[in-house]
Amino acid sequence: MMEYEVPTTMNDKHTTLRIVQGKLHSVLLLVTLVFACLTPFAHAQNVPAPAAVIAGQAEAETPADIHVLVGRSLVVRSEENLQRVSVTNPAIASANVISPTQVLIHGLTAGTVTLILWDEQDQTRSFNLIVDLDLTALMQEFSQIFPNEDIRVAQSGAALVLSGTVSAKDVADRSAALGASRASSVINLLQIAEGRRVVMLQVRFAEVNRAAITQLGANLMSLGAANTIGATSTQQFGPPQLQGNGISRTAGGFALSDLLNVFLFRPDIDLAVTIKALQQKNVLQILAEPNVMALNGKEASFLAGGEFPFPVLQGGNNFGVTIQFREFGVRLNFTPTVQSDNTIRLKVAPEVSSLDFANALTISGFLIPALSSRKASTEVELRDGQSFAIAGLIDKRLTDVANKLPLLGDIPILGNFFKSRATNKNSTELLVMVTPRIVRPLDPTNVPAGPEFPKPFLDQEKFDGSHGETPAQRSALTPVHP
């Protein structure tokens, strides 16, 4: 609570006023006589009132200012006994006489009102009572809640004015909501600087795909033994195919459909066998690290790959085939949003795809490859430089296919010639990690060097000559001696 002392007392003003009135009465009589004598001159010359006197009257009538904070109290003390007080708007401030010489003032809401005091002789004195917002405490509160934002506060009448620059619209809205809890009216002049921050996203695709294949089987074929031509097969692996009208000692033949088969033939007994005994191991490693930058709140995309033609059948009356192009490769789409606490919200959709000719189709003479893709789509929040594994996969598969001929495949030992087996084992490990970083442009003196080229380019000076002539020009300029 504060005390404010009225600078001028009521009795002094009353006594001074009587003395001035007596002197003015005598002066008026003297002025009347002089005015009667100088009337012709007064009509001839129009003399304006001195500006200094008018200014002095205006200064004397200007009331003094009294300041009080919203939610605070102030005591105004007078040397004369007070009879009553009044304020023009009780909703902004209230005034109560707590003693004959003291007035207690409460600041309710921001604004300006007139405070009038009456003494026991009904003499009045007016003041401009200004109720201010506690801008210092409000500024400290904004600094604690939004430490990295440039927010300034000011007061305009009864309104709170917010100005400065913030990083996002969400920060501006929350700042206005905070200001509305302290003032009845808020003027939001905050500017949003969303496009001034650049986010670089580093994505790492790491995949290891292992495959182990084991195949074992046999196909028997009689080429005329005991005057019988035939073959036994489980049909799991392609058996030899007879050619022509048959096989004899002088004509006919057979073809092998699988060159990896082990082929055995006994001409004396006209018996042949193809053995499928194969072990295969495949390893596929993929490491892709695309980096792409985007403005805060804007979407960015990246593609390192290509497009392949894809035929599409058109139905209806205009039947035909049209060609469309489908993308494949390393693709990255993301949208960053920097929050008020410098966390980065990412909406990211990475994808790695490749052509798969093992599952290709042939339609109307077109070989259409399949697409093998690994992709993810999610939203995460990270701080600058933090990493997050947004996707991971461990896939282990085993396929075991066994075929045999009935009855013959059940014979001990010899039954293995009428059996075939194929075992396929696959193991896939996939990990996708993202790392966002808030970046700033480099100075012209700090431009990074480009990639090193393993082979030198064409030396233009050696090719064109020291003066820029081409070989043809140099030949034309060379003098020919007889």
Side-chain angles (χ1 to χ4, degrees):
M1 184 177 295
M2 301 176 59
E3 291 190 357
Y4 183 87
E5 184 175 356
V6 179
T8 306
T9 62
M10 296 298 178
N11 285 342
D12 292 342
K13 182 178 179 181
H14 187 66
T15 304
T16 304
L17 183 61
R18 291 180 178 177
I19 296 173
V20 171
Q21 289 178 351
K23 292 182 178 181
L24 286 176
H25 184 70
S26 302
V27 172
L28 286 175
L29 293 176
L30 181 60
V31 170
T32 303
L33 295 176
V34 175
F35 180 78
C37 298
L38 299 178
T39 299
F41 298 99
H43 287 287
Q45 297 179 359
N46 187 12
V47 181
V53 176
I54 297 176
Q57 293 176 357
E59 291 178 359
E61 293 176 358
T62 302
D65 294 337
I66 299 177
H67 292 267
V68 62
L69 296 178
V70 174
R72 304 293 178 86
S73 298
L74 177 68
V75 174
V76 177
R77 185 170 58 87
S78 174
E79 295 182 358
E80 298 294 331
N81 294 334
L82 300 177
Q83 183 179 1
R84 64 183 184 274
V85 296
S86 176
V87 292
T88 55
N89 190 351
I92 296 178
S94 64
N96 300 307
V97 178
I98 58 176
S99 71
T101 59
Q102 291 181 339
V103 176
L104 178 62
I105 298 174
H106 297 285
L108 303 178
T109 59
T112 302
V113 294
T114 301
L115 173 66
I116 305 176
L117 306 178
W118 284 270
D119 62 1
E120 293 180 346
Q121 288 78 27
D122 282 340
Q123 298 295 324
T124 61
R125 183 71 186 273
S126 300
F127 299 92
N128 291 327
L129 180 58
I130 303 173
V131 182
D132 298 319
L133 296 170
D134 193 353
L135 299 180
T136 302
L138 189 59
M139 192 64 194
Q140 293 177 354
E141 190 172 359
F142 272 100
S143 299
Q144 293 176 357
I145 300 176
F146 308 103
N148 298 317
E149 305 294 341
D150 180 21
I151 301 177
R152 297 181 293 273
V153 296
Q155 182 177 353
S156 177
L160 175 64
V161 180
L162 301 180
S163 60
T165 303
V166 294
S167 59
K169 184 178 182 301
D170 177 63
V171 179
D173 295 339
R174 288 192 293 164
S175 301
L178 179 60
S181 64
R182 301 296 186 269
S184 58
S185 178
V186 177
I187 301 175
N188 192 352
L189 301 179
L190 294 173
Q191 296 181 355
I192 301 174
E194 286 184 321
R196 299 183 182 178
R197 311 187 81 173
V198 180
V199 179
M200 181 181 68
L201 182 63
Q202 299 175 336
V203 181
R204 169 173 290 189
F205 286 91
E207 179 182 0
V208 178
N209 191 345
R210 302 177 180 89
I213 300 174
T214 302
Q215 295 176 342
L216 181 61
N219 296 319
L220 299 177
M221 184 175 57
S222 174
L223 304 180
N227 294 323
T228 302
I229 297 177
T232 61
S233 175
T234 61
Q235 299 298 321
Q236 188 169 3
F237 310 118
Q241 302 293 328
L242 296 178
Q243 293 181 346
N245 297 325
I247 297 179
S248 64
R249 296 183 182 274
T250 59
F254 53 87
L256 298 177
S257 60
D258 191 348
L259 296 179
L260 293 179
N261 285 341
V262 178
F263 175 68
L264 299 176
F265 177 59
R266 287 287 302 271
D268 55 343
I269 60 175
D270 293 328
L271 183 66
V273 60
T274 58
I275 300 175
K276 181 77 168 184
L278 175 66
Q279 287 186 348
Q280 181 180 358
K281 292 184 179 181
N282 299 327
V283 176
L284 172 64
Q285 297 182 175
I286 297 177
L287 178 60
E289 297 183 358
N291 298 337
V292 64
M293 292 186 295
L295 293 176
N296 183 22
K298 303 297 182 180
E299 183 180 4
S301 62
F302 172 84
L303 174 64
E307 297 181 348
F308 69 97
F310 184 83
V312 178
L313 297 178
Q314 300 294 330
N317 297 328
N318 298 325
F319 180 79
V321 178
T322 60
I323 302 298
Q324 294 182 357
F325 288 88
R326 303 292 178 86
E327 295 178 347
F328 70 95
V330 180
R331 169 174 286 280
L332 175 61
N333 295 328
F334 87 105
T335 303
T337 303
V338 182
Q339 306 294 323
S340 59
D341 56 352
N342 276 343
T343 58
I344 305 172
R345 173 173 293 180
L346 291 176
K347 184 178 180 181
V348 57
E351 178 181 357
V352 173
S353 59
S354 58
L355 298 179
D356 185 8
F357 289 95
N359 298 317
L361 296 176
T362 302
I363 301 177
S364 300
F366 295 98
L367 180 63
I368 305 174
L371 278 179
S372 176
S373 62
R374 281 76 63 190
K375 55 186 176 181
S377 179
T378 185
E379 288 190 24
V380 294
E381 285 191 3
L382 297 171
R383 292 193 177 274
D384 183 16
Q386 291 182 338
S387 299
F388 209 108
I390 63 171
L393 173 66
I394 297 178
D395 185 9
K396 296 181 180 295
R397 300 185 183 186
L398 171 62
T399 302
D400 190 5
V401 180
N403 293 342
K404 69 177 182 178
L405 294 178
L407 299 179
L408 296 178
D410 297 330
I411 300 175
I413 301 176
L414 294 178
N416 293 326
F417 289 98
F418 306 98
K419 294 179 181 180
S420 63
R421 179 182 295 273
T423 303
N424 191 352
K425 298 179 181 181
N426 290 282
S427 176
T428 302
E429 298 179 9
L430 174 65
L431 182 64
V432 181
M433 298 187 65
V434 295
T435 303
R437 298 184 184 276
I438 299 177
V439 296
R440 294 174 177 82
L442 296 175
D443 294 333
T445 57
N446 296 329
V447 178
E452 295 183 1
F453 299 101
K455 297 291 184 180
F457 290 102
L458 178 65
D459 192 339
Q460 185 176 353
E461 184 176 354
K462 291 182 179 180
F463 183 82
D464 294 340
S466 58
H467 300 287
E469 303 94 350
T470 62
Q473 292 174 341
R474 289 198 300 271
S475 301
L477 295 176
T478 303
V480 179
H481 299 284

